[in-house]
Amino acid sequence: MAVRFYNTLSRSVEPLQPLVEGKVSFYACGPTVYDYFHIGNARSFVVADIVRRYLEYRGYDVSFAMNITDIDDKIIKKAHEEGVPASEVAEKYAAAFLQDIEALGIRKPDHTPRATDTIQEIINHISGLIDAGKAYEVAGDVFYDVTSFPGYGKLSGKKLEDLVAGARVEADSRKHNPGDFALWKSAKPEEPSWDSPWGKGRPGWHIECSVMSQKFLGETFDIHAGGNDLIFPHHENEIAQSEGLTGKPFANCWLHFGFLNIDNEKMSKSLGNFFTAREIIKKYKPETLRFFYLQTHYRSPLNFSQEGLDAAEKGLERFRTLYRALQNAPDGKGVIDISASRERFNDVVDDDLNTPGGIGVLFELVKELNNGLSSTAGLSSDTKKAALEFLNATLIDLFGILKIEDDAASDEEFASLMELVLDVRSMARQEKNWGMADLIRDKLAELNIVIEDGKSGSTWKKQ
RNA sequence: GGCGACGUACCCAAGUGGCUUAAGGGGACGCUCUGCAAAAGCGUUAUUCAUCGGUUCGAAUCCGAUCGUCGCCUCCA
């Protein structure tokens, strides 16, 4: 079976059918750079990264774009609070964004366009919509006329009448319809602005994604992704703006990521349950956070907790230990069919990116391999090699959750010193001087160096 | 009020009609190894899938009702 995804547009799981055989064009909504991103944002970025990596793992040539929204109300607000230009706020947090995704092991997208670099294209797009009678200007603001687009509501399942009836839409007497939304916002004094046919102003909230995605991926592309909450109005409006102008389908497949909650509630600053990704990866390894995310299906809500992260770290350790054991074990005779695991893994993950299921398959293989390693027959060199290749492809290249640090190689001087200490200790042990042996072990433990006595001598590792 | 999602062991979490009298991880317990320990390995841990009805030869999986949790409808990943 081929790669399948749940498409919000059709509300069903569909096989991926790229426009161009073997190639996938993929766009994910990126950050608005007014603050460090939080662990909920991080989940979305990690999942988008995994979508991309999985497609590559399955042999597709992926073109991946993620925007950086660097002009927006929140940025302006923050700039006012801090008494600095909006561009400075945007610059600072855009740089932080790129740093943080790298720290999280997220591969940089092929394209990271910025709204402020795309102003001219945005103006052209809006002009096109006005010319086509789908948008109208009122005193320097431009609005999209939702009634001009018959398909409005097809993504979110909302009806125009319901939106009007809901009355939660902000009343603006200048709008022709309550559901109309701003494409261009006129500038208030002291706000950053760009010249346009409608006077000085800046792009509205949704238009930039339409323009930037089409700029890099074409008028129609394969996959568009983002958080659950973006379905309406953001993505609905993107479709209207894009298809309203081109008359062609915008994105064929819409992927939406589940939310991360804390104590089963949405994370928010006002509730005080707000953590930035920066903070968390000071305490936990980035791989642990990634693994924690991937152990839940991407569309399900995920409850964030310290216990969850601790459990993830333990599970990861199981992979690390097995990986090292495979590298170090002497050649034996036992044979395990790794390709069977690979097929099962692919089958499972092909089905709407079922990473928790895939991880389950990997853990089952770990048990099998451990059994092999501890049996008298051991494992053949071919089996070990195939297993390591498979684990490299999945745990390292695909999920990015396994990092094999070679403590000894990272600091040779320190390593030889440790060797000396261990030699002294093993002499003490040979003389059954347990007091001395234990003292060394305890003192090293205080320095976060863990000594483990095995059959073939003692080993050390940093905590 | 409208739309949608979800409820699987102590915790997390796959599975969505027969291959499952339910994967996997964490925890707990037992064993192996060990001078002791730690680590690691192995084993055990749900006749049952919120509840109640129904459809079916067969349901955790489909339908209906009930209870509960959550999200969107407003900036939000």
Side-chain angles (χ1 to χ4, degrees), chain A residues 14 23 38 72 74 279 309 337 341 348 355 407 419 445:
Chain A
E14 303 175 338
K23 295 192 177 191
H38 57 66
D72 162 272
K74 285 183 186 168
E279 288 174 73
L309 282 173
D337 181 12
S341 288
V348 167
T355 55
D407 289 334
E419 208 174 307

Side-chain angles (χ1 to χ4, degrees), chain A residues 128-183:
Chain A
L129 284 170
I130 292 175
D131 293 345
K134 313 248 173 179
Y136 54 94
E137 188 218 333
V138 184
D141 287 340
V142 181
F143 295 98
Y144 186 91
D145 177 358
V146 291
T147 60
S148 74
F149 185 65
Y152 196 79
K154 66 181 175 182
L155 182 71
S156 58
K158 297 195 186 303
K159 297 188 191 86
L160 232 34
E161 310 88 77
D162 294 342
L163 292 176
V164 177
R168 293 187 76 170
V169 184
E170 199 180 326
D172 186 333
S173 56
R174 299 173 307 159
K175 289 183 187 176
H176 293 358
N177 313 286
D180 290 354
F181 54 91
L183 295 170

Side-chain angles (χ1 to χ4, degrees), chain A residues 34-35 38 265-275:
Chain A
Y34 71 103
D35 202 346
H38 57 66
E265 282 190 325
K266 189 169 163 174
M267 184 167 53
S268 78
K269 279 183 176 169
S270 52
L271 285 170
N273 58 2
F274 183 94
F275 301 103

Side-chain angles (χ1 to χ4, degrees), chain A residues 427-438:
Chain A
M427 275 189 254
R429 293 182 71 215
Q430 269 162 28
E431 291 163 12
K432 299 199 191 295
N433 186 350
W434 308 128
M436 175 64 76
D438 291 350

Side-chain angles (χ1 to χ4, degrees), chain A residues 264-293:
Chain A
N264 293 312
E265 282 190 325
K266 189 169 163 174
M267 184 167 53
S268 78
K269 279 183 176 169
S270 52
L271 285 170
N273 58 2
F274 183 94
F275 301 103
T276 64
R278 288 205 156 192
E279 288 174 73
I280 296 300
I281 59 176
K282 277 181 195 155
K283 261 192 91 181
Y284 291 92
K285 296 187 183 78
E287 304 89 74
T288 304
L289 190 60
R290 290 173 71 91
F291 185 58
F292 173 71
Y293 290 145

